[in-house]
Amino acid sequence: MTAGADIERKLASVGYVADKGLATALRLALSLQRPLLLEGDAGVGKTETAKALAGALDTRLIRLQCYEGLDATSTIYEWNYQKQLLAIRAREHGEVSADVLERRIFSEEYLLRRPLLEAISLDRSPVLLIDEIDRADEEFEAYLLEVLSDFQVTIPELGTVSSKARPHVILTSNGTRELSDALRRRCLYSYVEFPDHARELAILKARVPNLEESLAGPIVDFVQQLRREDLEKKPGIAETLDWAAAICGLGIRDIRDDPEKIAATMICLLKTEPDLKAVTKETVARLAGQPA
């Protein structure tokens, strides 16, 4: 049986509710040992998918957060220069030859493993999350293709390090720039949408178990309608969970009872000033289903 054969059940065991399409993509990525590229709006749960997969497989999650200017050094390895310098100074008056000293300071003891090297060095396959690959430069994307092709890196002073256990690779993209065809061909692909009502309700019940049944449905109704408003940043699943927790903490039993109090909790759902101004108390009352 492959690692992905019962992945849906394993994800559910760690509180992650995957739709059929995403569960199938994960199953195929595991069985075919191919990287999986997850694309979609911010907040739909792409990063959480990788975290849940690591939990479901009971393995380590290694995260590489991408950003503009990211280079190979920051992602593969660096030498611990301070420790090397201390070693050199400690041996200045010793009888160690320069060649022996060089071999010592360019050894595993002085190597700082960054995410890509760490991911291929483990004895058990980790989940390697390459988060927001679209934020990295095209040059780094091209280098990443080489690593994903062979799962090995070369350290001039130590030689080639090959993967002991092939990592399960999840890449995420918010679509801020177009990714290369070469990268897309290397990966399986899934576009992650905001969850539908039934799935978001299931997520809410799984992640906020103390939430009253009478509140869960109206909370999801509200958020689903709020996403259809003209907003700069639609609230994601994490915001739904934060809002539900806030409502529980405030002792609110019905979101229709006090629109002013509910309006004050919009800071959990809305993350820009224009959005907070756009969603007025009247808008909150309408979305909550309060009679006009």
Side-chain angles (χ1 to χ4, degrees):
M1 181 178 289
T2 65
D6 56 350
I7 191 62
E8 201 167 351
R9 177 185 61 80
K10 290 180 178 179
L11 288 169
S13 72
V14 295
Y16 185 85
V17 182
D19 63 30
K20 294 293 183 183
L22 181 55
T24 299
L26 289 169
R27 186 181 304 116
L28 290 173
L30 292 172
S31 61
L32 298 175
Q33 294 189 310
R34 294 282 300 280
L36 174 61
L37 172 61
L38 300 179
E39 207 163 32
D41 291 337
V44 296
K46 303 183 296 297
T47 299
E48 192 63 29
T49 299
K51 294 179 180 179
L53 181 62
L57 299 178
D58 191 24
T59 193
R60 183 175 167 187
L61 174 72
I62 297 176
R63 181 176 181 175
L64 170 59
Q65 178 62 52
C66 298
Y67 54 87
E68 187 177 354
L70 182 66
D71 59 17
T73 300
S74 304
T75 62
I76 300 176
Y77 74 95
E78 292 179 89
W79 291 108
N80 191 331
Y81 298 117
Q82 290 181 328
K83 191 174 180 180
Q84 286 175 322
L85 183 58
L86 288 173
I88 293 171
R89 288 179 176 174
R91 295 183 174 92
E92 279 180 349
H93 303 293
E95 297 181 357
V96 178
S97 68
D99 289 342
V100 171
L101 178 58
E102 182 178 353
R103 285 195 297 272
R104 286 183 181 176
I105 65 173
F106 288 106
S107 63
E108 291 274 355
E109 181 183 353
Y110 297 87
L111 187 68
L112 298 175
R113 297 175 185 272
R114 298 312 184 198
L116 293 181
L117 180 58
E118 183 72 10
I120 68 172
S121 300
L122 301 179
D123 294 325
R124 186 180 181 197
S125 298
V127 171
L128 172 60
L129 168 61
I130 302 174
D131 215 4
E132 298 183 314
I133 181 61
D134 52 317
R135 294 187 180 276
D137 300 329
E138 293 180 7
E139 291 80 3
F140 175 73
E141 185 183 319
Y143 179 79
L144 183 62
L145 281 172
E146 296 182 22
V147 177
L148 295 182
S149 175
D150 301 323
F151 285 98
Q152 65 180 30
V153 298
T154 298
I155 303 172
E157 298 85 353
L158 296 178
T160 299
V161 180
S162 298
S163 175
K164 295 181 180 179
R166 194 181 185 98
H168 309 298
V169 183
I170 303 290
L171 302 95
T172 74
S173 170
N174 295 332
T176 58
R177 72 169 176 85
E178 184 60 36
L179 302 177
S180 69
D181 290 341
L183 181 65
R184 290 184 181 276
R185 285 195 302 270
R186 183 75 61 191
C187 304
L188 302 183
Y189 177 81
S190 182
Y191 189 85
V192 184
E193 304 270 9
F194 283 108
D196 60 20
H197 188 284
R199 181 168 167 249
E200 190 156 22
L201 185 59
I203 293 170
L204 189 58
K205 289 180 178 179
R207 300 294 293 274
V208 191
N210 62 327
L211 185 67
E212 293 184 12
E213 185 77 23
S214 60
L215 265 176
I219 285 175
V220 173
D221 288 339
F222 186 100
V223 175
Q224 294 264 322
Q225 293 181 77
L226 181 61
R227 290 190 185 119
R228 292 194 282 269
E229 297 290 310
D230 186 17
L231 300 175
E232 285 187 351
K233 185 183 184 304
K234 297 179 181 181
I237 300 171
E239 283 74 32
T240 302
L241 298 176
D242 286 345
W243 190 49
I247 287 175
C248 286
L250 291 172
I252 296 171
R253 308 297 293 274
D254 190 330
I255 64 173
R256 298 171 299 178
D257 287 347
D258 192 342
E260 188 167 346
K261 183 183 259 188
I262 294 296
T265 68
M266 289 298 99
I267 59 173
C268 296
L269 292 172
L270 304 173
K271 301 302 175 71
T272 70
E273 182 183 9
D275 286 348
L276 282 171
K277 287 182 177 179
V279 179
T280 63
K281 185 173 69 174
E282 291 72 26
T283 303
V284 169
R286 170 171 59 82
L287 296 180
Q290 186 185 45

